[in-house]
Amino acid sequence: MSLRLGDTAPDFTQDSSEGSIRFYDFLGNSWGILFSHPADYTPVCTTELGYTAKLQDEFSKRGVKAIALSVDDVESHKGWITDINETQNTTVNFPIIADKDRSVSTLYDFIHPNASETLTVRSLVITDPNKKIRLIITYPASTGRNFNEILRVVDSLQLTDNHKVATPANWQQGDEVVIVPSLKDEEEIKQRFPKGYKAVKPYLRLTPQPEQN
């Protein structure tokens, strides 16, 4: 199954380091980050899971729940979590799905035969509160993910869902944003963007980030 942006994220029930989890129940009305790992006790994944744990406050501020996946079993996960907490000086505070039968990995297309017949690639999916897939990123197994970039994307998605704007290249919280080209009514523009805007070109209009002090 090949998932695309805008698809409804498939639901599943699977064992995890925190017991049996039904994905939709776990998410509730939150945004979600589901990210896969090639196997337990792998060095890059150990750093990723540790860093994700350290970002818990940042995820909570944004209404985001993180959940990881690896193809090993629950007992292996629990031993690995001990190592993660020790080596990364943190406490893993989210579940790791035990996908030994690879059913979730197959459902989400996390196994790429050209890379490995059995191990998941380093993929990450962001879902919104409506369970729609809003981002899919796949890294090679040798490259750790940039979780600061994941936070940036969540910020962009949440901002652009609530305002008729898009975020330009390298945008960070507080930077100018782009008024979407479909918004043409000047009265509505004045109402939505009381700080005004700068028209670099008729199709490229920059305005201060809404709701930003």
Side-chain angles (χ1 to χ4, degrees), residues 177-194:
V177 295
V178 176
I179 299 173
V180 295
S182 59
L183 183 55
K184 301 184 184 301
D185 183 88
E186 284 297 327
E187 287 304 314
E188 183 179 357
I189 291 173
K190 288 178 183 178
Q191 183 178 7
R192 287 181 175 276
F193 310 109

Side-chain angles (χ1 to χ4, degrees), residues 126-168:
I126 292 179
T127 58
D128 66 20
N130 295 317
K131 313 298 186 292
K132 298 295 184 183
I133 293 176
R134 303 295 299 276
L135 175 79
I136 302 170
I137 299 179
T138 298
Y139 290 72
S142 59
T143 303
R145 284 165 279 214
N146 184 335
F147 283 85
N148 293 322
E149 166 65 6
I150 303 307
L151 287 176
R152 191 188 78 90
V153 172
V154 170
D155 286 340
S156 174
L157 289 170
Q158 293 181 345
L159 176 69
T160 56
D161 277 0
N162 292 320
H163 301 277
K164 290 190 175 183
V165 297
T167 54

Side-chain angles (χ1 to χ4, degrees), residues 84-98:
I84 296 166
N85 293 342
E86 175 190 345
T87 63
Q88 306 305 304
N89 192 29
T90 189
T91 299
V92 172
N93 41 31
F94 53 87
I96 305 176
I97 298 165

Side-chain angles (χ1 to χ4, degrees), residues 39-130:
D40 291 0
Y41 299 102
T42 51
V44 175
C45 296
T46 298
T47 64
E48 289 185 330
L49 291 170
Y51 195 74
T52 301
K54 292 176 182 178
L55 288 176
Q56 181 59 40
D57 288 346
E58 294 298 325
F59 287 135
S60 295
K61 284 193 302 187
R62 295 162 171 81
V64 176
K65 292 183 177 179
I67 184 167
L69 173 149
S70 177
V71 296
D72 293 305
D73 60 27
V74 169
E75 288 309 308
S76 176
H77 285 0
K78 289 180 177 178
W80 187 28
I81 287 170
T82 299
D83 279 7
I84 296 166
N85 293 342
E86 175 190 345
T87 63
Q88 306 305 304
N89 192 29
T90 189
T91 299
V92 172
N93 41 31
F94 53 87
I96 305 176
I97 298 165
D99 197 34
K100 193 169 179 62
D101 65 0
R102 295 170 176 75
S103 59
V104 179
S105 299
T106 301
L107 193 62
Y108 276 80
D109 197 28
F110 286 164
I111 295 177
H112 292 188
N114 288 340
S116 169
E117 293 288 348
T118 58
L119 300 179
T120 62
V121 290
R122 208 179 299 282
S123 288
L124 183 146
V125 172
I126 292 179
T127 58
D128 66 20
N130 295 317

